Amino acid sequence: SPPEAKGGWPIFGHLHLLGGSTPPHITLGAMADKYGPIFTIRLGVQPSLVISSIEIAKECYTTNDLSILSRPKMVVVDHVSYNYAMFGFGPPGPYWREIRKIVTLELLSVRKVELLKHVRVSEVATFLKELHELWSTKKMGGSKDGVVVELKQWFADMMLNVILTMVAGKRYSVAAAGDEKKEARRVQTALREFFDYLGMFLLGDAGPYLRWLDWGGHEKAMKKSATEIHAIIAEWVEEHKQRRVKGDAKGEQDFIDALLSVLDGADLGSFDADTITRATSLVRIYNSLILQANN
């Protein structure tokens, strides 16, 4: 077994070493210098393996990936994963392998992504048009100076619209007014809260026996956020199903359309097609936003 880093406490493990002002990756890097390219720490009661070697990473994720593949249960996943139908967070097994194969081959192939290239082009063009209209409106209103625009929000809206258009055929304009703008902010707020909670590590994750305390009220907030985002996804899926019933789903298909077609009549165990579609669509949005953020 790899060596365990010193300094662990009973119950809390090495959490106290990762909670200071120093970023966790810096702390772990210093520990790797001391203990070597592979060692273990305890995140509460959860034993965790830390690797910092290309060779060991290759050994873990290629040669022995099936042997070590697992995911710890986390509080947030209990509430947002549709009972672990979200294959990105669920345990490995027959369902996980089948959904991963469907998504990789049918929905995220190079050809499928290339077919939706025009969505990215269109959204960038719309972004520039709306930005110009804002400038024109303020200039006509008598502004003699330059127009101040918070581009961070505009770029965030544009990237989200690219993703939502490809996944659900939806877009929400930052320049909209009235109910349309209210709905746009509702979706954006729900997604932002959802992804914030996905990145949280709670006391109940470190020590499941302390989960009932709900320290900070985060689990209660997670439940509320999950209810909101699930309602939004359910609306999108229902709209797509209604279009299919009416025969209006011909032509270009977004991610939800394609998923409903692939899952039509499929037998994937205990999950129905609607649940799988909602869960997989949410994973797709999550992964896309992560990639956008990294780029």
Side-chain angles (χ1 to χ4, degrees):
S1 298
E4 180 178 305
K6 294 181 179 179
W9 291 355
I11 301 177
F12 296 102
H14 296 81
L15 284 176
H16 65 286
L17 300 177
L18 304 175
S21 58
T22 303
H25 67 281
I26 301 296
T27 302
L28 292 174
M31 295 170 74
D33 292 338
K34 182 177 181 180
Y35 298 107
I38 178 169
F39 62 94
T40 62
I41 60 175
R42 285 178 290 113
L43 301 178
V45 298
Q46 304 287 358
S48 305
L49 184 69
V50 183
I51 58 175
S52 55
S53 161
I54 294 176
E55 292 76 18
I56 298 176
K58 183 178 180 181
E59 189 79 9
C60 289
Y61 292 114
T62 56
T63 308
N64 296 298
D65 59 334
L66 294 180
S67 300
I68 66 172
L69 188 62
S70 64
R71 294 184 177 91
K73 287 191 174 184
M74 300 180 67
V75 173
V76 64
V77 180
D78 282 346
H79 297 299
V80 306
S81 65
Y82 294 92
N83 195 25
Y84 291 87
M86 293 174 69
F87 76 97
F89 302 98
Y95 169 77
W96 178 82
R97 289 193 294 270
E98 188 63 27
I99 290 297
R100 186 181 65 168
K101 182 172 68 174
I102 289 175
V103 171
T104 303
L105 299 180
E106 302 288 346
L107 305 173
L108 297 181
S109 64
V110 174
R111 177 179 175 274
K112 183 65 177 179
V113 173
E114 189 63 24
L115 285 174
L116 294 173
K117 179 180 178 180
H118 68 281
V119 172
R120 300 189 290 275
V121 175
S122 174
E123 285 301 328
V124 170
T126 301
F127 163 78
L128 294 173
K129 180 181 177 182
E130 291 180 344
L131 191 60
H132 180 266
E133 289 176 351
L134 175 67
W135 174 82
S136 299
T137 301
K138 290 193 174 182
K139 292 296 285 185
M140 291 178 63
S143 176
K144 297 180 180 179
D145 301 322
V147 177
V148 179
V149 178
E150 185 185 352
L151 284 177
K152 180 180 179 181
Q153 182 65 55
W154 280 73
F155 280 124
D157 290 345
M158 180 190 69
M159 290 189 294
L160 183 60
N161 278 330
V162 169
I163 295 166
L164 293 185
T165 302
M166 291 192 292
V167 173
K170 292 282 187 179
R171 73 176 311 277
Y172 298 96
S173 173
V174 69
D179 291 341
E180 185 179 349
K181 186 171 185 177
K182 184 177 180 181
E183 178 65 14
R185 292 303 177 226
R186 174 200 174 207
V187 172
Q188 292 170 343
T189 300
L191 286 171
R192 183 173 61 252
E193 290 180 351
F194 171 72
F195 296 131
D196 284 345
Y197 288 131
L198 276 180
M200 281 188 178
F201 186 78
L202 303 185
L203 184 62
D205 296 321
Y209 43 81
L210 298 175
R211 180 172 172 177
W212 63 275
L213 289 173
D214 191 16
W215 192 274
H218 295 301
E219 184 168 4
K220 181 180 180 181
M222 285 176 180
K223 292 179 182 179
K224 182 179 179 181
S225 178
T227 299
E228 178 71 1
I229 195 65
H230 286 174
I232 292 171
I233 298 292
E235 291 172 8
W236 294 346
V237 173
E238 187 59 32
E239 288 176 5
H240 283 71
K241 290 176 64 178
Q242 291 299 322
R243 287 208 305 266
R244 287 168 61 87
V245 170
K246 296 177 182 178
D248 297 336
K250 299 178 181 179
E252 180 183 306
Q253 291 191 326
D254 54 42
F255 187 89
I256 292 180
D257 282 322
L259 198 54
L260 288 172
S261 298
V262 171
L263 295 176
D264 189 16
D267 182 12
L268 292 174
S270 59
F271 299 113
D272 58 78
D274 276 10
T275 299
I276 297 173
T277 301
R278 296 171 190 173
T280 308
S281 298
L282 200 49
V283 171
R284 177 72 174 99
I285 295 172
Y286 173 72
N287 289 338
S288 298
L289 287 173
I290 292 297
L291 288 173
Q292 291 280 10
N294 290 337
N295 291 334

